Amino acid sequence: MLSYIARRLVIAIPTLILVSIFVFVLQKLLPGDPALVLAGEERDPEMLAFIREKYRLNDPIIMQYFYWMKAMLQGDLGISLRTRQPVLDLIGDKLPVTVQLAVMAMIIAFAIGIPAGILSAVKKGTAVDYIANFVALSGLSIPNFWLGIMLIMLVSVHLGWLPASGYVSPFEDPVKSFQTMIMPAFVLGTALAATLMRHTRSAMLGVLKADYVRTARAKGLLEHTVILKHAFRNALLPIVTLSALLFGELLAGAVLTEQIFTIPGFGKLIVDAVFTRDYAVVQGVVMCTAAGFILMNLVADVLYFLLNPRMRSSL
């Protein structure tokens, strides 16, 4: 088990290095002079020369990358040009918001997608199957921003049930936090539920044709026992892998959804940083996002290893 994790980590390290090179080079290709951005209204040549010397902007790009990587490995992601706060502190403030939104969205996706996928596979070719597939296709087709706007108009403006935007920490007011996050989580969760439903249905259809399922039915086991204990358990492998990857995508920040509902998460942070050319924040957020996505890939690999007895026996 530990050797398997170690091998996956060895693969993850070069990936992070390649991502860091990609992010750093792209930042350098953006138009504009970082020294002018840092100087603000002070365009004095001596001030610009001091900034270029302080931030090593006159050094070769390879040396700039080396110094940036060295600082990053020491936990220094730089200072935000817009807020003058350490980037690490900004990420620490925004990450819990995005994690809360991602967890709530995944719960909604699981609650809708997996039961619908199982039911659709069991009732293949019936009206239930067609309805489930239609709903899943609708969930994949409807843009998140449109659904979010419609929910705000209906639930918040016309009915007045939930706040239209904003964010409240669950540590301050759990009820208010749930009220502000349930709509954006539902918007994200429905799209994920459609994806999960399709994959769950596909995995269940393959498993239901297996010999051990027919054997379980021949033994006289109850149908729900056959479906849940024998069929669904073996169909979990692709579902677990997909779920980990979807959660990793959510950690990257749901940009449009966070913008519509004014949620101060990763998505809004990186959009604001791009528009204000806050290079340090963009680099820090992208690197943390990449690390989180790679971590979720590792979690998916470990879960796949634990759930698949053939992989365990091969070691």
Side-chain angles (χ1 to χ4, degrees):
M1 176 67 178
L2 292 178
S3 61
Y4 178 78
I5 296 176
R7 288 201 300 269
R8 305 307 299 178
L9 285 173
V10 169
I11 297 174
I13 292 172
T15 305
L16 272 176
I17 294 175
L18 288 175
V19 170
S20 69
I21 295 173
F22 183 72
V23 171
F24 188 82
V25 171
L26 277 184
Q27 286 287 97
K28 292 301 178 182
L29 293 177
L30 289 176
D33 186 354
L36 294 176
V37 178
L38 288 167
E41 298 296 328
E42 296 290 337
R43 299 299 174 91
D44 182 71
E46 293 184 0
M47 175 61 70
L48 293 175
F50 171 76
I51 291 174
R52 290 192 176 96
E53 182 67 26
K54 178 181 179 181
Y55 291 99
R56 299 187 175 92
L57 297 177
N58 294 324
D59 293 349
I61 189 171
I62 296 177
M63 295 304 298
Q64 292 182 42
Y65 173 76
F66 172 77
Y67 289 126
W68 176 64
M69 278 293 291
K70 181 181 177 182
M72 186 173 61
L73 291 174
Q74 294 173 348
D76 181 11
L77 298 180
I79 303 296
S80 169
L81 305 180
R82 184 166 56 94
T83 64
R84 298 298 175 182
Q85 291 179 264
V87 175
L88 199 60
D89 291 347
L90 284 173
I91 291 174
D93 291 338
K94 307 301 182 183
L95 183 59
V97 180
T98 298
V99 170
Q100 181 187 353
L101 178 60
V103 170
M104 291 180 66
M106 288 303 298
I107 291 174
I108 292 172
F110 286 142
I112 299 173
I114 292 180
I118 295 174
L119 192 61
S120 178
V122 173
K123 303 291 185 180
K124 180 185 176 182
T126 65
V128 173
D129 184 28
Y130 294 131
I131 292 172
N133 278 282
F134 174 77
V135 172
L137 184 61
S138 301
L140 291 171
S141 304
I142 296 175
N144 285 348
F145 71 89
W146 182 86
L147 181 59
I149 293 171
M150 292 300 103
L151 282 177
I152 289 175
M153 292 179 61
L154 175 63
V155 179
S156 301
V157 177
H158 292 290
L159 299 177
W161 289 350
L162 295 171
S165 61
Y167 173 75
V168 177
S169 171
F171 300 105
E172 295 179 7
D173 189 337
V175 175
K176 192 70 174 177
S177 177
F178 178 82
Q179 291 174 342
T180 56
M181 294 292 275
I182 188 60
M183 272 203 301
F186 180 80
V187 169
L188 293 173
T190 49
L192 299 180
T195 304
L196 277 173
M197 179 269 168
R198 300 285 294 177
H199 282 76
T200 302
R201 180 182 183 274
S202 177
M204 286 292 294
L205 286 175
V207 170
L208 287 172
K209 299 175 183 177
D211 292 337
Y212 56 83
V213 173
R214 285 196 293 266
T215 302
R217 283 173 171 157
K219 289 180 178 179
L221 295 178
L222 296 175
E223 185 65 14
H224 73 271
T225 302
V226 174
I227 298 300
L228 297 178
K229 185 177 180 181
H230 295 273
F232 180 62
R233 182 178 178 181
N234 288 279
L236 269 177
L237 294 177
I239 298 171
V240 167
T241 304
L242 175 67
S243 300
L245 297 179
L246 291 176
F247 189 74
E249 290 181 7
L250 288 175
L251 290 181
V255 177
L256 288 177
T257 304
E258 290 184 5
Q259 288 288 331
I260 290 171
F261 291 96
T262 323
I263 298 173
F266 258 20
K268 193 171 188 306
L269 176 64
I270 196 168
V271 168
D272 293 342
V274 169
F275 278 118
T276 57
R277 293 185 178 180
D278 201 340
Y279 302 118
V281 173
V282 173
Q283 290 175 330
V285 171
V286 171
M287 285 305 300
C288 288
T289 298
F293 199 85
I294 290 173
L295 176 62
M296 294 313 301
N297 272 273
L298 179 62
V299 170
D301 290 336
V302 172
L303 290 175
Y304 195 91
F305 176 86
L306 294 175
L307 292 170
N308 192 342
R310 286 174 292 183
M311 290 190 65
R312 296 199 302 269
S313 61
S314 64
L315 295 179

